[in-house]
């Protein structure tokens, strides 16, 4: 009994001594020691310039006995943390005051438990130089022996303050001011307000694309109990573009308790790109419970690359809304943008995307879907939009007046910055009458700078176009391979506005295989190698048809040969081979009831120049004008079609004269596919006759 009494007495004396020490000790005497110890630990100067004091206070948030027991509360004023020598500013962090409490009982177990830290008047200057050195990367001293003490922080509270960021490596300069709200705003109220403002800000009527039941990012009871108590505003510049933004946050950030969400809201403009978000953060150490509704908008998705570091294509103006979650780790992070919906141009877009970092390159994966894709919105992908649209999305490459093929450069460097595995499908495509493509799907693979669309499939005019495409950005200029096959393209659906085609049972079939080096459409075709085979059977050619297809040169040629009348085509067959951008006609024949027309010569994509001869072989003497051959010369932009000054040698009947092309005819026969029982394929008959017909007197077969 005496021993127990002595133990209680000693413990009581210790408690009284501790209480008196905290209350009466002049803690300022410890400032030099604290300054030296902290400075040595962080590798920076640390100074407590003001008063250092302590007092006893109860912690009402703690349950039971711990809530009744007084806790020591320490306050240090006028705190300064210095910058490394290379920084332009002398101070890294300045605080008017810092206040924190320590739970006394865990100290007996070598556990320092700090339930709350309150920062007053924080001013932070963040800086990174062009070499990548950052002043927020502290060089903590490594102890030789592991410490017996464990530190746990509960929550961090703050009041008004300022944050400045000068990032020379990313050309980012930003100033953020934080001020308290006059009155706290409940979570539910601000969620609704921020959602409405964000949708109005991004425009494109993205709001109607989203199910209104999905607008609240976090509807948990804990989230509803939280409130926004501070407002912030930001101004500055990023890579030459102006930056401004605003938003609201909560007042207390819980570092350990994931059931205490920290509400956040932001609206940020970087140039003409807009980003808005609203929701909660409940695990600030890893962002594992980040629960946000996020909006993106701008003139082109490609402009998000310097902001997000994600390679996206050039697009028309866009706007999306979706749910963002994230997990941040030192070895790699994961970001998910799920269930998003929006618009790109006048097309809808939805799906799920995920970005994973930590490997040699970040990787983008997911699925994208469009219920209604407007074909015109695909133009920026290959630089085929007009000059005004290019300027709006930020392209400064002028299209030469004399060139037809787009010269806008592909962003090949961006292809090497990340990997991708994304599936895309468009259920229905809104298209011009001249290009009836109804659906599109592909699987996008990007691995170490090699982009593949494999498989690539499109539903066109009742038939299909399929194949694959690959682009290797590791070679300069970029190397591209294209392999496509067209099957069962119905003429009456390919040209729905041409009356003469509506009774046609004809089809188009063909194969294209091209490869070349180039970092634009013009550059690729200017040195392309490959083959093009195309067959059309049982069709018709008229002025209306050629105008609809945009074939102005062919329109002039057919007008000179046949006038304005509609000409029935038994078969149109093309076999061209390309070497270094110059495509030569091995066989180009149109067989009609009146004549067989042979086209020879070259199409030069290097200088966009045409050099073709059009030789008609009249069937009988019904059309006198067909005895005069034509030439097609000049550029793609300004072609010249005229009558040859001296007639070329004409051989007897058209089918007999064309027998010299037996080899390319045989190659074209392989392209013919069954016409699904609708009608015997006219091209099969014509090409078989061309292959089997003997040469006319005086004709010589070319050597192969």
């Amino acid at each position: 009994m005496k021993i127990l009494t002595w133990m209680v007495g000693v413990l009581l004396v210790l408690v009284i001594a501790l209480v008196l020490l905290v209350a009466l000790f002049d803690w300022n005497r410890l400032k030099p020691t604290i300054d030296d110890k902290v400075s040595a630990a962080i590798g920076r100067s640390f100074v407590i310039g003001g008063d250092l004091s302590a007092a006893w206070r109860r912690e009402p948030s703690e349950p039971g006995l711990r809530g009744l027991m007084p806790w020591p509360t320490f306050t240090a004023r006028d705190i300064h943390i210095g910058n490394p020598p290379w920084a332009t500013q002398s101070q890294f962090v300045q605080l008017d005051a810092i206040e924190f409490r320590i739970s006394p009982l865990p100290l007996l177990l070598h556990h320092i438990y700090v339930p709350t830290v309150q920062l007053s008047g924080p001013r932070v200057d963040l800086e990174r130089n062009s070499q990548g050195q950052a002043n927020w990367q502290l060089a903590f001293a490594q102890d030789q022996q592991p410490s017996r003490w464990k530190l746990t922080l509960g929550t961090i509270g703050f009041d008004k303050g300022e944050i400045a960021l000068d990032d020379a490596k990313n050309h980012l300069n930003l100033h953020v001011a934080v001020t308290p709200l006059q009155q706290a705003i409940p979570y539910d109220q601000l969620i609704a307000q921020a959602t409405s403002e964000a949708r109005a800000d991004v425009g494109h009527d993205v709001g109607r694309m989203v199910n209104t039941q999905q607008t609240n990012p976090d509807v948990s009871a804990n989230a509803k109990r939280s409130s926004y108590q501070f407002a912030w505003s930001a101004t500055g510049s990023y890579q030459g573009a102006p930056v401004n933004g605003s938003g609201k946050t909560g007042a207390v950030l819980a570092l350990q308790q994931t059931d205490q969400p920290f509400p956040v809201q932001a609206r940020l403009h970087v140039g003409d790109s807009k980003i808005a978000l609203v929701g909660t953060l409940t695990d600030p150490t890893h962002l594992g419970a980040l629960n946000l509704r996020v909006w993106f908008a701008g003139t082109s998705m490609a402009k998000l690359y310097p902001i997000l570091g994600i390679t996206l294509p050039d697009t028309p103006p866009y706007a999306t809304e979706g749910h963002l979650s994230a997990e941040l780790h030192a070895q790699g992070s994961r970001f998910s943008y799920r269930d998003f919906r929006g618009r790109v141009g006048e097309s809808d877009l939805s799906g799920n995307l995920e970005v994973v970092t930590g490997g040699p390159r970040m990787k983008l994966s997911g699925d994208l879907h469009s219920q209604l894709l407007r074909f015109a919105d695909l133009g920026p992908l290959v630089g085929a939009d007009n000059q005004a649209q290019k300027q709006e999305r930020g392209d400064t490459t002028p299209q030469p007046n004399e060139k037809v093929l787009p010269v806008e450069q592909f962003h090949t460097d961006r292809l090497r910055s990340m990997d991708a595995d994304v599936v895309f499908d468009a259920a229905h495509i809104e298209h011009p009458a001249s290009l009836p493509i109804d659906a599109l799907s592909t699987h996008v693979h990007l691995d170490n700078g090699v982009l593949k669309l494999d498989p690539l499939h499109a539903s066109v005019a009742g038939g299909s176009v399929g194949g694959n495409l690959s682009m290797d950005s590791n070679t300069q200029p970029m190397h591209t391979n294209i392999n496509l096959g067209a099957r069962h393209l119905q003429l009456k659906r390919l040209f729905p506005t041409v009356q003469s085609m509506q009774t046609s049972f004809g089809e188009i079939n063909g194969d294209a295989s091209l490869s070349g080096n180039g970092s634009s459409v013009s550059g690729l075709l200017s040195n392309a190698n490959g083959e093009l085979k195309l067959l059309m059977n049982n069709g018709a050619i008229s002025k209306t048809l050629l105008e609809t297809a945009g074939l102005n040169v062919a329109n002039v040629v057919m007008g000179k040969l046949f006038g304005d009348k509609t000409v029935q085509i038994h078969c149109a067959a093309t076999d061209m081979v390309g070497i270094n951008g110059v495509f030569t006609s091995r066989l180009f024949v149109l067989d009609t009831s009146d004549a067989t027309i042979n086209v020879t010569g070259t199409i030069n994509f290097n200088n966009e120049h045409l050099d073709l001869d059009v030789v008609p072989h009249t069937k009988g003497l019904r059309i006198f004008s067909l005895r005069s051959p034509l030439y097609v010369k000049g550029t793609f932009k300004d072609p010249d079609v005229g009558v040859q000054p001296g007639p070329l040698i004409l051989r007897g009947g058209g089918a007999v004269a064309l027998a010299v092309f037996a080899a390319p005819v045989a190659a074209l026969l392989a392209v013919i596919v069954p016409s699904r029982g609708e009608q015997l394929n006219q091209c099969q008959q014509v090409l078989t006759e061309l292959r089997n017909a003997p040469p006319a007197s005086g004709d010589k077969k070319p050597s192969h």
Side-chain angles (χ1 to χ4, degrees):
M1 187 64 179
K2 288 184 179 181
I3 295 176
L4 180 59
T5 302
W6 272 101
M7 291 178 60
V8 172
V10 170
L11 180 61
L12 183 60
V13 169
L14 291 175
V15 170
I16 294 174
L18 178 62
V19 170
L20 293 176
L21 176 65
V22 171
L24 302 178
F25 182 73
D26 183 5
W27 292 93
N28 287 306
R29 297 171 60 182
L30 295 181
K31 288 198 301 182
T33 302
I34 295 175
D35 291 349
D36 292 342
K37 293 291 186 182
V38 176
S39 297
I42 65 175
R44 304 275 182 85
S45 64
F46 176 88
V47 177
I48 302 176
D51 188 48
L52 177 61
S53 61
W56 288 96
R57 297 178 186 172
R58 288 194 306 166
E59 183 63 39
S61 62
E62 292 293 326
L65 179 62
R66 290 193 300 175
L68 298 176
M69 179 181 296
W71 291 23
T73 301
F74 297 89
T75 302
R77 303 187 183 278
D78 193 17
I79 308 294
H80 297 263
I81 301 177
N83 261 325
W86 56 262
T88 58
Q89 302 294 324
S90 61
Q91 299 297 317
F92 170 43
V93 174
Q94 301 177 66
L95 293 169
D96 290 343
I98 179 172
E99 180 181 286
F100 59 94
R101 300 180 185 180
I102 297 179
S103 177
L105 293 180
L107 293 174
L108 300 175
L109 302 175
H110 296 90
H111 182 192
I112 304 174
Y113 172 52
V114 181
T116 61
V117 176
Q118 183 67 36
L119 307 178
S120 298
R123 296 178 298 282
V124 182
D125 280 287
L126 303 174
E127 185 175 352
R128 177 160 55 182
N129 61 21
S130 57
Q131 289 75 40
Q133 293 176 297
N135 69 341
W136 57 83
Q137 296 172 341
L138 300 178
F140 290 101
Q142 299 295 323
D143 292 333
Q144 297 297 326
Q145 297 293 333
S147 176
R148 299 172 57 195
W149 291 87
K150 175 185 176 182
L151 174 64
T152 301
L153 296 178
T155 62
I156 296 179
F158 53 89
D159 58 13
K160 66 178 182 179
E162 296 181 359
I163 301 174
L165 172 60
D166 183 3
D167 187 349
K169 184 176 181 180
N170 292 316
H171 305 286
L172 173 61
N173 193 287
L174 203 61
H175 182 269
V176 181
V178 181
T179 57
L181 295 171
Q182 293 182 349
Q183 183 177 0
I185 303 176
Y187 177 80
D188 286 349
Q189 177 181 332
L190 188 62
I191 287 290
Q193 176 185 341
T195 298
S196 176
E197 290 177 350
R199 288 178 175 172
D201 191 28
V202 301
H204 281 62
D205 198 18
V206 68
R208 71 180 179 85
M209 302 298 300
V210 183
N211 185 340
T212 56
Q213 298 301 316
Q214 298 177 345
T215 56
N216 281 355
D218 187 355
V219 294
S220 66
N222 289 326
K224 291 182 178 181
R225 286 196 297 268
S226 63
S227 62
Y228 294 86
Q229 300 184 45
F230 283 87
W232 62 267
S233 62
T235 58
S237 63
Y238 179 61
Q239 298 195 358
V243 174
N244 63 81
S246 62
K248 297 176 179 63
T249 70
V252 177
L253 181 62
L255 300 179
Q256 302 292 333
Q257 295 174 282
T258 58
D259 61 345
Q260 294 185 20
F262 181 73
V264 293
Q265 181 261 328
R267 294 170 65 191
L268 192 65
H269 292 187
V270 182
D272 56 18
S273 297
K274 303 173 183 178
I275 303 174
L277 58 88
V278 60
T280 60
L281 169 63
T282 54
D283 187 1
T285 57
H286 298 103
L287 298 187
L290 188 67
N291 197 337
L292 300 174
R293 200 74 184 170
V294 179
W295 293 260
F296 294 100
T299 55
S300 173
M301 285 188 176
K303 291 187 177 182
L304 288 174
Y305 174 74
I307 302 173
L308 304 178
I310 300 174
T311 300
L312 297 172
D314 285 308
T315 67
Y318 70 95
T320 68
E321 174 180 351
H323 178 263
L324 177 68
S325 60
E327 296 180 13
L328 295 185
H329 304 281
Q331 294 76 21
S333 303
R334 184 184 300 271
F335 302 86
S336 297
Y337 191 45
R338 307 194 64 81
D339 301 322
F340 73 84
R341 297 177 182 269
R343 302 193 72 82
V344 179
E346 296 303 321
S347 307
D348 71 275
L349 188 67
S350 63
N352 305 278
L353 292 175
E354 183 176 86
V355 175
V356 177
T357 67
R361 294 166 301 277
M362 72 169 61
K363 183 173 183 178
L364 173 69
S365 59
D367 56 279
L368 298 174
H369 312 277
S370 177
Q371 297 301 314
L372 178 60
L373 174 65
R374 198 174 66 126
F375 190 81
D377 294 331
L378 296 176
L381 290 174
V382 293
D385 47 346
N386 60 46
Q387 200 65 33
Q389 292 170 326
K390 290 181 180 182
Q391 291 177 355
E392 183 179 9
R393 60 181 171 83
D395 174 54
T396 58
T397 306
Q399 179 70 23
N401 293 330
E402 71 278 6
K403 293 188 73 68
V404 173
L405 300 174
V407 300
E408 181 180 347
Q409 298 291 295
F410 304 136
H411 297 300
T412 58
D413 57 327
R414 298 181 181 180
L415 294 179
R416 297 188 294 272
S417 67
M418 61 175 286
D419 295 337
D421 185 0
V422 178
V423 176
F424 172 77
D425 67 85
H428 179 69
I429 295 180
E430 180 184 291
H431 53 77
S434 60
L435 189 62
I437 176 172
D438 301 314
L440 178 68
S441 64
T442 188
H443 192 162
V444 181
H445 305 264
L446 178 59
D447 183 16
N448 195 21
V450 179
L451 173 66
K452 294 182 179 180
L453 304 184
D454 188 13
L456 176 61
H457 182 272
S459 299
V460 181
S464 65
V465 175
N468 56 74
L469 177 150
S470 68
M471 307 174 78
D472 187 352
S473 66
N474 295 303
T475 61
Q476 294 301 321
M478 181 168 61
H479 183 75
T480 300
N481 286 299
I482 302 174
N483 294 284
L484 294 175
R487 296 294 183 266
H488 299 302
L489 274 59
Q490 300 176 25
L491 291 173
K492 62 182 178 182
R493 295 183 61 177
L494 194 60
F495 303 102
T497 62
V498 180
Q499 188 62 37
S500 59
M501 284 292 188
Q502 298 315 297
T503 58
S504 170
F505 291 97
E507 293 183 346
I508 288 181
N509 298 286
D511 289 323
S513 177
L514 300 174
S515 66
N517 293 340
S519 296
S520 68
V521 173
S522 176
L524 171 62
L525 292 177
S526 68
N527 59 64
N529 301 291
E531 295 181 325
L532 174 64
K533 298 179 175 66
L534 190 66
L535 295 175
M536 180 185 80
N537 73 288
N538 194 34
I541 293 182
S542 65
K543 183 176 181 180
T544 303
L545 169 66
L546 296 174
E547 288 179 348
T548 300
L551 301 175
N552 297 326
V553 174
N555 196 3
V556 176
V557 171
M558 296 307 294
K560 288 183 179 292
L561 291 177
F562 297 102
D564 290 338
K565 74 171 188 175
T566 298
V567 179
Q568 297 298 317
I569 301 294
H570 297 157
C571 175
T574 301
D575 184 357
M576 302 192 75
V577 58
I579 300 175
N580 296 327
V582 180
F583 282 74
T584 304
S585 171
R586 293 192 295 197
L587 175 66
F588 194 156
V589 59
L590 283 79
D591 186 79
T592 75
S593 56
D594 295 324
T596 301
I597 301 168
N598 181 34
V599 181
T600 60
T602 60
I603 301 175
N604 191 328
F605 288 96
N606 276 298
N607 52 16
E608 298 192 3
H609 195 273
L610 299 166
D611 188 5
L612 301 171
D613 291 317
V614 181
V615 182
H617 303 271
T618 305
K619 293 180 178 180
L621 301 175
R622 290 169 293 178
I623 305 177
F624 181 80
S625 64
L626 290 181
R627 296 180 181 179
S628 300
L630 305 176
Y631 65 81
V632 179
K633 298 183 182 297
T635 64
F636 295 177
K637 189 83 169 183
D638 188 20
D640 176 31
V641 180
V643 179
Q644 290 283 5
L648 298 180
I649 298 175
L650 302 180
R651 303 299 180 186
V656 176
L658 293 173
V660 296
F661 298 105
V665 166
L668 277 168
L669 282 170
V671 179
I672 296 177
V673 294
S675 57
R676 297 182 285 203
E678 293 174 347
Q679 182 172 321
L680 183 62
N681 194 306
Q682 294 285 337
C683 273
Q684 189 166 6
Q685 296 182 13
V686 171
L687 292 177
T688 301
E689 291 175 1
L690 289 177
R691 184 179 62 175
N692 297 332
S697 176
D699 280 344
K700 295 182 179 180
K701 292 186 178 182
S703 59
H704 292 283

